[in-house]
Amino acid sequence: MHNFRQLRIWIDSVELAKDIYSLTQKFSNEHKFGIASQLYSAAVSIPSNIAEGSARKSEKDFRHFLSMSLGSTFELETQLIIAEQCNLAAHNDFENLLARIQSLQKQIKAFSNTISP
């Protein structure tokens, strides 16, 4: 069993979720229950799946949850691109968050590869 609170991927994904929340708070009320909700939900699922998977009894189960967490990063990336294309996110915010998401994707993949199949 892994202590999720000590995993860099969990720490980074919690920080990312907080920053996505801050970004979505800038959206107009019109978008708060649409894409903002989707963005935040995807962002929160990343560290949540890491934490849940770390409590599983087998490494295979943990890898499965890491895979779900990775999937959520791609979901978040897609939603962020849509938000930027709809002019809901400032370009600087978009670029910074996108780079962090892509870095997290690499980190999760690399960490998952260290877990026995």
Side-chain angles (χ1 to χ4, degrees):
M1 202 153 60
H2 299 267
N3 182 347
F4 67 89
R5 289 179 193 92
Q6 294 179 346
L7 296 174
R8 172 56 45 198
I9 57 173
W10 182 82
I11 294 166
D12 290 351
S13 60
V14 167
E15 287 299 314
L16 178 63
K18 289 172 22 184
D19 291 342
I20 291 291
Y21 179 77
S22 294
L23 174 72
T24 60
Q25 291 304 296
K26 299 174 190 174
F27 289 7
S28 68
N29 285 338
E30 170 186 3
H31 300 291
K32 291 223 177 183
F33 298 105
I35 193 147
S37 176
Q38 292 290 316
L39 279 160
Y40 190 60
S41 178
V44 167
S45 74
I46 300 167
S48 298
N49 277 306
I50 294 167
E52 185 174 353
S54 72
R56 298 298 169 147
K57 292 182 180 180
S58 75
E59 295 291 288
K60 181 179 178 182
D61 286 343
F62 189 25
R63 281 181 70 132
H64 173 71
F65 278 88
L66 289 173
S67 176
M68 290 193 304
S69 180
L70 182 61
S72 293
T73 66
F74 285 99
E75 180 182 357
L76 179 60
E77 181 179 358
T78 299
Q79 293 164 352
L80 187 62
I81 290 167
I82 292 168
E84 198 261 344
Q85 289 181 0
C86 292
N87 297 315
L88 298 175
H91 188 70
N92 289 343
D93 290 337
F94 168 77
E95 290 294 328
N96 175 275
L97 290 168
L98 187 61
R100 290 172 56 201
I101 292 167
Q102 291 169 344
S103 174
L104 187 57
Q105 289 165 346
K106 291 174 187 171
Q107 290 173 22
I108 293 170
K109 285 179 193 176
F111 181 71
S112 182
N113 289 337
T114 69
I115 307 285
S116 301

